């Protein structure tokens, strides 16, 4: 609860500052309010004009973004259809993954997304990266940008670019589609770059020989002695040990029924336990005749092997589901998104390594997720507007333009229902 007092102070300061600005109509040209959210904007948007000389490149880039949206939109619609079908056929029990709050990309509200510096930084950067894509392509396609700025609610929660509505209304076809697709292209490009950098850095991680206890066998010596875990073994019978091999060497001199003293460090405290060793369980089939403590070690070699296997398209998919921990065998990946004691059980090349890893992961993950979600063919998402422009271009020349709004509306509602179905249906099935 150490964070509670600073958070309360920050909220009070923000409320006071916002109230003073609002009551006295201060900085009216640059600050507006949407409820409790403060928008700080500027009409000095010459930054976006700097990209006009590279018009050819950015038009190719924007076109590539539109193609990505079309592919992702089709693929995600198919996956939503299959997920809805499977949900209707299997009638699953509600799970943590299907809790309504877990569809929201809000740190601390979504149970899989922690409220950390890395996550909030990634969230703000993602929105800025998305909006700047729209701003750059606006100028490339001759659409004026009226203003740009930040949205604040105690902390920055996003960014925005405000195009000139008249220019936007006059723009049609591929120029407008490229403008909508640029934000998604930016998100996916930045996300993939961050994941590549992340994988390269994870290739520097090495196994640690430290004897880390991560579990105990029920009804065996360590269980009976109430040995804490996770913990690090530092001494056996008063002799210092620094690796699993050294622990095994000392235990090899024992036999079932012998008593040993075990010194471990857990949560920064040194703890000593007396264990009466037992025989090895038959199911382990080791053939050992020495005494058995009944502990399981942290397998840092396996963790490093899992991290090394991320260099593949399949590895990219594993990164996308790393926070969810829904695929058996990927539980070791939690060292990537989360700050946990397990991060200390691996050898890393420099101080602050895991902070860099967490930041790269969340910037990459949130950018890719926002890019994929915005590609869905549903208004008011970018994918929905691209669908509308595409249909206008296709149907107008054939005299069917009057049906475009109805088609887009129908598709949008269908996609929304398919998003909600796997989340809500399990609760309806098991009322």
């Amino acid at each position: 609860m150490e964070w509670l007092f600073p958070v309360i102070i920050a909220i009070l300061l923000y409320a006071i500052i916002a109230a003073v600005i609002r009551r006295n109509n201060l900085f009216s040209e640059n600050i507006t309010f949407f409820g409790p959210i403060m928008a700080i904007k500027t009409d000095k948007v010459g930054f976006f004009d700097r990209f006009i000389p590279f018009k050819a490149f950015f038009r190719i880039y924007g076109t590539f973004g539109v193609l990505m949206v079309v592919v992702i939109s089709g693929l995600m619609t198919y996956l939503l259809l299959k997920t809805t079908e499977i949900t209707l056929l299997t009638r699953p029990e509600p799970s943590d993954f299907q809790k309504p709050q877990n569809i929201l990309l809000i740190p601390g509200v979504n149970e899989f997304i922690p409220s950390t510096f890395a996550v909030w930084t990634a969230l703000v950067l993602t929105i800025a990266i998305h909006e700047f894509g729209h701003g750059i392509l606006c100028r490339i396609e001759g659409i004026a940008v009226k203003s740009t700025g930040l949205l604040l609610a105690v902390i920055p929660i996003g960014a925005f670019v405000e195009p000139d509505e008249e220019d936007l209304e006059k723009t049609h076809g591929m120029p407008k589609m490229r403008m909508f697709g640029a934000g998604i292209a930016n998100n996916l490009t930045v996300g993939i770059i961050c994941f590549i950098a992340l994988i390269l850095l994870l290739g520097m991680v090495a196994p640690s020989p430290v004897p880390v206890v991560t579990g105990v066998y029920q009804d065996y010596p360590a269980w009976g002695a109430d040995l804490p875990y996770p913990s690090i073994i530092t001494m056996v019978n008063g002799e210092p040990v620094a690796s699993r091999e050294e622990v095994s060497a000392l235990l090899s001199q024992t036999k079932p029924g012998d008593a040993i003293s075990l010194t471990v460090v857990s949560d920064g405290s040194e703890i000593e336990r007396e264990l009466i060793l037992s025989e090895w369980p038959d199911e382990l089939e080791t053939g050992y005749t020495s005494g058995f403590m009944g502990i399981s070690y942290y397998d840092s070699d396996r963790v490093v092997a899992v991290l090394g296997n991320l260099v593949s398209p399949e590895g990219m998919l594993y990164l996308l589901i790393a926070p969810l921990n829904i695929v058996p065998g990927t539980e070791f990946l939690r060292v990537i998104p989360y700050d946990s004691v397990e991060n200390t059980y691996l050898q890393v090349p420099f101080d602050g390594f895991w902070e860099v890893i967490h930041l790269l992961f969340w910037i990459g993950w949130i950018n890719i997720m926002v890019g994929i979600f915005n590609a869905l063919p549903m208004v008011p998402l970018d994918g929905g507007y691209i669908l509308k422009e595409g249909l206008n271009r296709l149907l107008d020349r054939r005299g069917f333009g009057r049906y475009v709004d109805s088609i887009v509306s129908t598709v949008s509602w269908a996609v929304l229902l398919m998003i909600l179905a796997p989340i809500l249906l399990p609760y309806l099935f098991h009322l």
Side-chain angles (χ1 to χ4, degrees):
M1 299 294 287
E2 296 177 0
W3 51 268
L4 185 58
F5 182 71
V7 168
I8 292 173
I9 294 297
I11 292 173
L12 289 174
L13 283 174
Y14 173 81
I16 292 169
I17 293 170
V20 170
I21 293 173
R22 212 166 190 170
R23 174 172 292 184
N24 296 285
N25 200 28
L26 301 176
F27 314 111
S28 57
E29 292 183 0
N30 301 104
I31 296 180
T32 56
F33 288 89
F34 303 95
I37 298 174
M38 182 191 300
I40 302 175
K41 64 179 182 178
T42 177
D43 57 6
K44 295 179 180 179
V45 291
F47 166 80
F48 296 113
D49 292 342
R50 297 180 183 180
F51 297 92
I52 293 176
F54 309 101
K55 185 177 293 186
F57 168 79
F58 280 103
R59 279 187 170 155
I60 294 171
Y61 178 75
T63 302
F64 180 65
V66 173
L67 293 175
M68 282 198 295
V69 170
V70 172
V71 172
I72 293 170
S73 181
L75 179 61
M76 290 304 298
T77 302
Y78 172 76
L79 290 176
L80 287 172
L81 276 168
K82 294 301 293 182
T83 302
T84 302
E85 178 187 0
I86 292 168
T87 303
L88 290 169
L89 291 174
T90 60
R91 302 170 70 89
E93 295 273 355
S95 66
D96 287 345
F97 182 67
Q98 286 150 328
K99 290 180 180 178
Q101 68 267 31
N102 291 335
I103 68 171
L104 303 172
L105 210 162
I106 302 177
V109 174
N110 188 311
E111 296 175 353
F112 300 102
I113 303 177
S115 182
T116 63
F117 171 80
V119 173
W120 281 107
T121 301
L123 188 59
V124 173
L125 284 175
T126 298
I127 298 170
I129 288 164
H130 185 92
E131 293 299 324
F132 270 53
H134 291 320
I136 292 168
L137 262 293
C138 275
R139 298 305 301 126
I140 295 298
E141 302 298 349
I143 302 169
V145 175
K146 291 170 65 176
S147 66
T148 185
L150 286 173
L151 298 174
L152 301 179
V154 183
I155 61 173
I157 59 170
F160 65 90
V161 170
E162 183 185 11
D164 183 86
E165 293 179 8
E166 290 185 8
D167 283 356
L168 189 60
E169 192 65 30
K170 290 186 294 185
T171 306
H172 300 286
M174 276 304 293
K176 199 168 187 177
M177 292 167 72
R178 282 193 288 260
M179 188 276 291
F180 283 123
I184 295 171
N186 275 7
N187 288 140
L188 295 176
T189 300
V190 170
I192 291 170
I193 289 171
C194 285
F195 272 9
I196 291 172
L198 175 77
I199 291 169
L200 291 175
L201 282 175
L202 289 173
M204 302 179 184
V205 175
S208 172
V210 175
V212 180
V213 179
T214 55
V216 298
Y217 288 77
Q218 188 171 351
D219 299 326
Y220 277 89
W223 169 277
D226 194 26
L227 186 74
Y229 61 91
S231 59
I232 299 173
I233 300 174
T234 56
M235 286 192 289
V236 177
N237 287 335
E239 292 191 38
V241 290
S243 68
R244 291 168 56 177
E245 288 73 22
E246 291 182 5
V247 175
S248 297
L250 290 172
L251 289 176
S252 67
Q253 303 169 24
T254 66
K255 60 184 183 298
D258 286 352
I260 65 165
S261 67
L262 207 62
T263 305
V264 300
V265 174
S266 178
D267 289 332
S269 301
E270 190 172 82
I271 300 167
E272 189 169 327
R273 292 286 188 267
E274 295 290 329
L275 278 66
I276 306 299
L277 301 178
S278 68
E279 294 182 350
W280 284 77
D282 293 336
E283 59 267 23
L284 292 182
E285 298 179 354
T286 60
Y288 293 152
T289 58
S290 57
F292 178 63
M293 291 191 294
I295 65 172
S296 59
Y297 290 110
Y298 182 72
D299 193 347
S300 60
D301 290 298
R302 185 180 173 193
V303 175
V304 171
V306 170
L307 297 180
N309 288 334
L310 295 176
V311 189
S312 66
E314 184 183 11
M316 284 284 191
L317 291 176
Y318 281 145
L319 282 175
L320 289 177
I321 61 173
L324 308 179
N325 195 23
I326 57 176
V327 176
T330 61
E331 59 273 6
F332 291 129
L333 295 180
R334 62 178 172 261
V335 298
I336 300 174
Y338 303 123
D339 184 19
S340 69
V341 68
E342 294 177 12
N343 299 118
T344 63
Y345 302 156
L346 299 164
Q347 294 182 342
V348 295
F350 56 83
D351 291 338
F353 177 85
W354 290 113
E355 285 77 7
V356 173
I357 291 296
H358 297 154
L359 187 59
L360 281 173
F361 172 81
W362 287 112
I363 292 175
W365 191 85
I366 294 177
N367 267 281
I368 290 174
M369 288 300 176
V370 167
I372 290 173
F373 183 74
N374 268 288
L376 291 173
M378 179 175 70
V379 173
L381 303 179
D382 293 329
Y385 287 119
I386 289 174
L387 172 66
K388 184 175 180 178
E389 282 301 313
L391 288 174
N392 274 324
R393 190 174 183 183
L394 180 67
L395 299 181
D396 258 352
R397 65 186 66 174
R398 292 169 174 81
F400 299 113
R402 63 187 180 278
Y403 299 114
V404 169
D405 287 342
S406 297
I407 295 171
V408 172
S409 178
T410 301
V411 172
S412 297
W413 277 105
V415 171
L416 179 61
L417 290 173
M418 287 189 291
I419 292 171
L420 295 176
I423 297 163
L424 300 180
L425 286 178
Y427 291 97
L428 296 176
F429 291 149
H430 300 280
L431 284 174

